[in-house]
């Protein structure tokens, strides 16, 4: 299960690659801060059973913000965002939406599952599988199985699924001796992603000096 640090690592790489001339320490900080927001729904589990990875991990969040941002920056005669923060602000806003979709929600989709369309459709989904080419089997992909893929990807509703966190390790009341784990890196690839992101961001910030 990706930690908040791993989410920020991927968001940092997106910031380095997409911010263009808007790239600086402040812009990166904004993108990273926005990326952290979906993980705050770990606290929602105290009020809504199964609220973790549901309330703020729904794709409706980035899609709704992207629609509003598109309308404001592409359709309206006078853009509020561009008038208030100029082209730089619009660029940071778009990169932040991408960070939420891919670094925050996307990583959790492949790392245990998220409630993708909550609250319209209360169902957790997890993306897992493989894509390969075999000399015997040809092109093989198991991410989407036609005729049965949804059943394989579905994990249950908020009433059935509880995704633990350091804030809310188990559903319901916690025993006094419960272990609260706040991971940083839980595998080699996660640690590599963190180190790579730090290196890339440091290099780009050094170039900006």
């Amino acid at each position: 299960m990706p930690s908040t640090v791993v989410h920020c690592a991927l968001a940092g790489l997106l910031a380095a690659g997409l911010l263009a001339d808007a790239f600086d320490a402040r812009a990166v900080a904004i993108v990273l801060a926005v990326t952290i927001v979906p993980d705050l729904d770990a606290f929602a589990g105290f009020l809504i059973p199964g609220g973790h990875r549901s309330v703020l991990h729904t794709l409706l969040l980035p899609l709704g913000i992207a629609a509003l941002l598109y309308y404001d920056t592409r359709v309206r005669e006078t853009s509020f965002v561009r008038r208030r923060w100029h082209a730089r602000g619009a660029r940071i806003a778009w990169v932040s939406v991408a960070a939420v979709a891919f670094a925050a929600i996307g990583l959790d989709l492949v790392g245990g599952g998220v409630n993708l369309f909550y609250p319209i459709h209360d169902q957790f989904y997890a993306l897992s599988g493989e894509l390969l080419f075999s000399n015997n089997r040809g092109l093989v992909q198991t991410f989407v199985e036609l005729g049965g893929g949804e059943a394989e990807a579905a994990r249950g509703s908020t009433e059935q699924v509880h995704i633990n966190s350091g804030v809310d390790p188990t559903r319901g009341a916690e025993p006094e001796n419960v272990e609260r784990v706040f991971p940083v890196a839980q595998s080699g690839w996660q640690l590599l992603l963190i180190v790579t992101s730090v290196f890339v961001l440091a290099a780009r910030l050094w170039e900006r000096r």
Side-chain angles (χ1 to χ4, degrees):
M1 190 164 63
S3 69
T4 300
V5 178
V6 175
H7 290 300
C8 286
L10 181 54
L13 292 177
L14 287 171
L18 299 177
L19 281 173
D21 293 338
F23 182 90
D24 60 20
R26 184 178 180 184
V28 172
I30 293 172
V31 173
L32 297 186
V34 171
T35 303
I36 292 172
V37 170
D39 275 349
L40 296 179
D41 67 11
F43 296 94
F46 296 121
L47 301 174
I48 305 171
H52 181 209
R53 293 207 185 175
S54 293
V55 176
L56 296 177
H57 277 73
T58 171
L59 274 183
L60 301 180
L61 178 65
L63 287 175
I65 295 174
L68 290 174
L69 191 57
Y70 180 84
Y71 173 75
D72 179 71
T73 59
R74 303 293 183 184
V75 179
R76 291 183 65 190
E77 292 185 5
T78 304
S79 168
F80 170 80
V81 172
R82 293 184 186 278
R83 186 176 70 249
R84 180 67 176 82
W85 294 288
H86 312 292
R88 167 185 165 83
R91 168 74 68 164
I92 294 173
W94 279 114
V95 175
S96 295
V97 171
V100 169
F102 293 103
I105 299 174
L107 268 183
D108 282 337
L109 178 62
V110 300
V114 297
N115 205 325
L116 273 183
F117 305 106
Y118 184 85
I120 294 177
H121 179 60
D122 185 8
Q123 180 65 238
F124 281 84
Y125 292 95
L127 181 63
S128 62
E130 61 181 2
L131 176 63
L132 58 88
F133 182 81
S134 166
N135 64 319
N136 292 329
R137 294 175 289 158
L139 183 65
V140 178
Q141 73 82 25
T142 59
F143 290 102
V144 178
E145 295 288 347
L146 298 179
E150 183 175 356
E152 290 294 324
R155 293 294 184 264
S157 67
T158 51
E159 294 183 358
Q160 301 165 314
V161 176
H162 174 85
I163 297 179
N164 68 300
S165 68
V167 173
D168 189 17
T170 60
R171 187 185 292 267
E174 313 287 359
E176 291 184 4
N177 63 342
V178 67
E179 181 182 16
R180 299 182 184 275
V181 178
F182 299 90
V184 176
Q186 296 180 294
S187 64
W189 74 262
Q190 291 186 5
L191 181 60
L192 178 62
L193 178 61
I194 293 170
V195 173
T196 302
S197 180
V198 170
F199 173 78
V200 170
L201 290 173
R204 285 225 57 195
L205 290 171
W206 183 81
E207 288 179 343
R208 293 278 297 180
R209 293 180 57 184

